[in-house]
Amino acid sequence: MFEETDERDDYYINLIEGRNPVLEALKSGREIDKLFVQSGQLEGSIKQIIAIARDKNILIKEVDKAKLDKMSKTKSHQGVIASAALYKYYEVDDILDIAKEKGEDPFIVILDEITDPQNLGSILRSCDAAGVHGVIIPKRRAASLTPIIGKISAGAVEYVPVAKITNINQTMSYLKEKGLWIAGADASGETYYEKDLTGPLALVVGSEGKGLGRIVKENCDFIVGIPMSGNISSLNAAVSCAVLIFEAKKQRLKQKTIGSLQEGSIH
């Protein structure tokens, strides 16, 4: 009935407490990351709150009263607390439009269940520096935009559009329909700097422990990997992402320079 997850909840500090405040926040369309409901408190208005949250694909967690008491600032949570997003989320089409407005091929990063806020913040910072048009994250089993993310990203969260989606594989299919190639990051892939990373591209980066999900990996058009020479077999998600997107940036700048020289040549 409820999504089970062991991720730390202390990152979600923008809380709405109490039945009426939470209900009104949901009705108003405010972006909600998670809904925490007290075990056994599923009657009355909480049933309505849960129904609305489900319709909006909001993650619902059933927790005991002691957990809610610990989270609560008002000490009057009435069995329900919502974690509200502090930052604006974009639609996937918004990210594509941003690339179009800049006259550039879409360059997108998709994160497959990145749960560590440190990694998400670092990835956003790298994406800003590498000219990525936007980042796509799943609604479930993933870190969301919170104040700690803003701090880790050194403010990049304000400049890199982030879209939150329900299904990564469906989104990948949609991006393919829009003309993008999907590259997956995995140790088993071809050497990243030997692959063409120009053109409309979405790079999928897997979770810290499991990497890319099996179906996600199968749905990629190609897989790129980073050769390792040391004793450690892999880099963490944020570092891997940075290496790959800056290679893509280098290739795109080179392509743009060659194009400019060709346009300016005398025939």
Side-chain angles (χ1 to χ4, degrees):
M1 180 177 181
F2 297 96
E3 180 71 20
E4 293 297 330
T5 174
D6 59 1
E7 66 187 286
R8 291 171 57 190
D9 297 319
D10 52 345
Y11 301 118
Y12 300 89
I13 65 173
N14 192 37
L15 304 179
I16 303 171
E17 303 180 27
R19 300 188 182 194
N20 284 336
V22 171
L23 186 59
E24 291 305 316
L26 288 168
K27 288 180 176 179
S28 71
R30 184 170 180 185
E31 186 75 35
I32 301 295
D33 284 324
K34 286 186 180 182
L35 186 69
F36 299 89
V37 178
Q38 183 176 324
S39 301
Q41 296 291 311
L42 307 178
E43 80 292 345
S45 58
I46 288 188
K47 290 180 65 176
Q48 183 183 5
I49 289 169
I50 291 172
I52 296 173
R54 282 186 176 144
D55 287 341
K56 294 177 178 289
N57 289 312
I58 294 169
L59 180 62
I60 303 170
K61 288 190 66 180
E62 186 176 9
V63 298
D64 58 29
K65 183 176 183 296
K67 174 68 174 178
L68 286 181
D69 289 344
K70 184 178 179 181
M71 293 171 62
S72 177
K73 305 298 182 184
T74 67
K75 305 306 176 186
S76 182
H77 53 73
Q78 299 176 305
V80 60
I81 296 178
S83 170
L86 293 181
Y87 301 99
K88 174 186 176 182
Y89 287 99
Y90 292 74
E91 300 295 330
V92 173
D93 283 334
D94 293 332
I95 295 174
L96 296 174
D97 288 341
I98 289 170
K100 185 176 180 180
E101 289 168 5
K102 291 183 176 181
E104 299 172 350
D105 289 326
F107 184 18
I108 296 172
V109 169
I110 302 173
L111 303 180
D112 183 13
E113 297 186 12
I114 297 293
T115 58
D116 183 355
Q118 183 75 42
N119 271 339
L120 177 56
S122 296
I123 287 170
L124 289 174
R125 188 171 184 176
S126 295
C127 285
D128 178 56
V132 172
H133 295 115
V135 173
I136 296 173
I137 62 175
K139 289 184 176 180
R140 296 175 180 272
R141 295 182 293 276
S144 298
L145 301 185
T146 58
I148 193 170
I149 300 297
K151 184 176 181 180
I152 294 169
S153 72
V157 67
E158 303 288 353
Y159 304 103
V160 180
V162 176
K164 186 182 282 191
I165 49 90
T166 302
N167 188 293
I168 285 183
N169 288 294
Q170 289 178 2
T171 300
M172 289 167 63
S173 296
Y174 178 74
L175 291 175
K176 288 182 181 182
E177 292 174 2
K178 292 294 183 178
L180 278 74
W181 289 86
I182 310 295
D186 188 85
S188 65
E190 300 176 71
T191 302
Y192 72 99
Y193 51 77
E194 294 177 353
K195 295 295 293 183
D196 183 358
L197 301 178
T198 62
L201 180 72
L203 173 69
V204 190
V205 179
S207 64
E208 297 86 358
K210 298 182 295 183
L212 295 178
R214 180 182 60 83
I215 298 177
V216 169
K217 187 175 178 180
E218 290 174 355
N219 285 338
C220 291
D221 293 308
F222 60 94
I223 304 295
V224 291
I226 301 171
M228 304 293 292
S229 299
N231 296 312
I232 305 300
S233 62
S234 65
L235 301 172
N236 81 357
V239 174
S240 296
C241 181
V243 169
L244 296 172
I245 62 177
F246 276 97
E247 171 63 23
K249 179 182 180 180
K250 184 187 78 173
Q251 292 185 17
R252 288 160 186 267
L253 288 174
K254 184 177 179 180
Q255 183 186 61
K256 186 176 180 179
T257 300
I258 292 173
S260 298
L261 291 173
Q262 289 175 343
E263 290 177 6
S265 63
I266 300 174
H267 300 280

